[in-house]
Amino acid sequence: MFAGIWGSYMRIKQNVAQVLCCLFCIVVVGMFLGCSANNEDSTSTANDRTKTYSWKMVTTWPKNLPALGVAPERFASMVETMSDGRLNVKVYAAGELVGAMEVFDSVSSGAAEMGHGAAYYWTGKAPAAALFTTVPFGMNAQEMNAWLSYGGGLELWRELYEPFDLIPFVCGNSGVQMAGWFNVEINSLEDLKGLKMRIPGLGAEVMKRAGAAPQLLPAVEIFTSLQTGVIDATEWVGPYNDLTLGLYQIAKYYYYPGWHEPNAAIELIVNRSAFEQLPTDLQKIVEVAASAINQDMLNEFTARNNAALQTLLNEHGVELRPLPDEVVNRLREISAEILDEVAANDPLSKRIVESYKQFHHEVRQWSAISEEAYFNVRE
């Protein structure tokens, strides 16, 4: 009997030993596989941190144009520095790789990874795009930045561009612009009838309803068109850029205020597929650099506009004139009508317009007792 018990005990001990041995092997193999996976992940991460990317950026601006044309170059330099050379962006001015008005399609197709321009140039693709540049009699630069960052504007902008495989970032702002250069005096609404004027976005539709004949021209064609009589008037930006284009040489009257562009948000558009292939740190660098250039451009325009205006007035004899109240009041009425029509285009356009109008309504209440009130008393 004792021998039988002892035999059973030895068999059980042998089975336990085999089980323990199997468990030990499983644990060892698991540890090996885990280490191997971790090593692969580490290697992959390391590769992401050493891989370099060479991108193309096409723009709607002439080469070396102050602020607007220089901003993409500053962006590219900033990205290269922040990424330690891992993301290199070569900038092409309008016409160097594609035409100024071909930027959207070029980035959408992936022919270029990035573009720098203004959303209101693409209203033929999506009418509501104009709101992401400016709205006549709408928000100024400070208010626009607030809507995009904290009022849901950027999310709507990205939703609008999603079908085009594009991700937009705000990457510049001109601040309030001038009403433009005119070769005829504007003394009444009647003077707008038949006026051939270069003007984009919602402002163009407003001028059309007021009786003018708006045209969309890139910056490189403005001077010649005004000089040859193809157009009678043009808006561009403000004194700092307008002085550079030499518009004072071919137009006599410089009108204000810039009712059509109380701000002009400049966009960086990035091909979504290309962007998603970047490591997360490079994606963040693109985002942060765009934000930095957004503020930098506004700072530059604010710092340089008045000196340029004084040069235009004192050295070139430009006549600075305000638009008549009758004209401004009528343009304001038309602007409100057009904004409502944009909202009626489709459900997304309606949400964009409603968001813009609601934020504008709220933010200007604060602006009235902060910025505006201060402007009224500081003198």
Side-chain angles (χ1 to χ4, degrees):
M1 180 177 179
F2 177 79
I5 294 173
W6 175 254
S8 298
Y9 167 77
M10 292 302 293
R11 284 193 297 274
I12 292 172
K13 182 178 179 180
Q14 184 178 13
N15 291 338
V16 169
Q18 290 175 345
V19 170
L20 290 175
C21 182
C22 290
L23 289 173
F24 176 78
C25 292
I26 291 172
V27 170
V28 170
V29 171
M31 291 175 63
F32 174 81
L33 292 176
C35 289
S36 176
N38 288 336
N39 287 336
E40 289 178 2
D41 289 343
S42 299
T43 301
S44 177
T45 300
N47 287 338
D48 284 344
R49 294 295 183 267
T50 58
K51 183 179 179 179
T52 60
Y53 299 81
S54 296
W55 280 16
K56 297 185 288 292
M57 179 197 287
V58 290
T59 81
T60 63
W61 322 117
K63 195 171 187 65
N64 298 322
L65 178 70
L68 290 174
V70 173
E73 301 285 357
R74 289 175 178 166
F75 171 88
S77 177
M78 186 179 298
V79 166
E80 182 176 357
T81 300
M82 294 170 69
S83 69
D84 196 24
R86 291 163 52 216
L87 178 55
N88 299 286
V89 180
K90 182 172 176 57
V91 178
Y92 294 88
E96 288 187 331
L97 194 61
V98 299
M101 299 305 157
E102 297 170 356
V103 168
F104 188 96
D105 287 339
S106 179
V107 182
S108 178
S109 69
E113 290 83 5
M114 285 181 163
H116 196 256
Y120 63 9
Y121 291 147
W122 325 127
T123 53
K125 308 288 184 182
L131 276 80
F132 297 106
T133 302
T134 193
V135 172
F137 300 97
M139 292 188 277
N140 64 16
Q142 185 170 323
E143 295 165 338
M144 183 72 168
N145 283 333
W147 177 57
L148 291 173
S149 297
Y150 292 99
L154 182 59
E155 291 78 7
L156 288 167
W157 194 359
R158 291 183 173 176
E159 185 178 349
L160 183 68
Y161 278 15
E162 188 173 359
F164 304 100
D165 202 29
L166 294 172
I167 302 174
F169 299 82
V170 62
C171 192
N173 203 304
S174 68
V176 180
Q177 297 195 2
M178 292 290 286
W181 298 85
F182 293 74
N183 274 325
V184 295
E185 294 184 70
I186 305 298
N187 296 313
S188 69
L189 285 167
E190 201 59 35
D191 294 320
L192 299 181
K193 302 295 176 60
L195 182 78
K196 295 175 292 183
M197 182 175 183
R198 183 269 178 196
I199 182 171
L202 298 177
E205 186 60 29
V206 174
M207 288 295 285
K208 181 179 180 181
R209 304 269 181 106
Q215 299 184 32
L216 178 59
L217 299 172
V220 293
E221 297 179 18
I222 292 176
F223 187 96
T224 302
S225 297
L226 194 57
Q227 185 180 45
T228 58
V230 172
I231 55 176
D232 308 308
T234 183
E235 67 80 45
W236 177 226
V237 183
Y240 185 41
N241 273 176
D242 295 2
L243 176 63
T244 302
L245 287 190
L247 299 177
Y248 61 86
Q249 301 174 42
I250 48 175
K252 185 175 182 180
Y253 307 108
Y254 200 24
Y255 277 93
Y256 70 96
W259 60 272
H260 64 301
E261 294 198 45
N263 89 99
I266 306 303
E267 70 176 7
L268 172 74
I269 49 176
V270 183
N271 179 272
R272 178 180 296 276
S273 301
F275 186 75
E276 290 176 349
Q277 292 174 22
L278 291 179
T280 54
D281 65 323
L282 293 187
Q283 291 179 355
K284 180 58 69 173
I285 284 173
V286 169
E287 178 185 342
V288 170
S291 180
I293 295 300
N294 182 49
Q295 187 62 50
D296 181 71
M297 184 188 292
L298 181 59
N299 293 348
E300 184 174 4
F301 274 116
T302 303
R304 308 296 186 204
N305 269 331
N306 189 62
L309 179 61
Q310 297 311 311
T311 298
L312 290 169
L313 299 179
N314 300 324
E315 297 182 22
H316 300 299
V318 169
E319 292 190 34
L320 183 64
R321 296 190 175 189
L323 288 170
D325 290 343
E326 172 198 4
V327 172
V328 172
N329 292 336
R330 179 57 186 147
L331 295 177
R332 186 187 298 109
E333 293 172 356
I334 298 173
S335 297
E337 296 169 2
I338 291 174
L339 200 56
D340 289 339
E341 291 175 13
V342 172
N345 282 326
D346 56 77
L348 179 54
S349 293
K350 182 179 180 180
R351 287 195 288 118
I352 292 170
V353 171
E354 288 177 347
S355 174
Y356 184 98
K357 290 172 72 172
Q358 179 63 29
F359 193 87
H360 187 200
H361 172 74
E362 294 176 358
V363 77
R364 69 185 179 188
Q365 295 179 58
W366 168 244
S367 295
I369 62 171
S370 57
E371 308 296 330
E372 186 178 345
Y374 173 69
F375 288 160
N376 291 336
V377 302
R378 70 176 175 179
E379 298 301 331

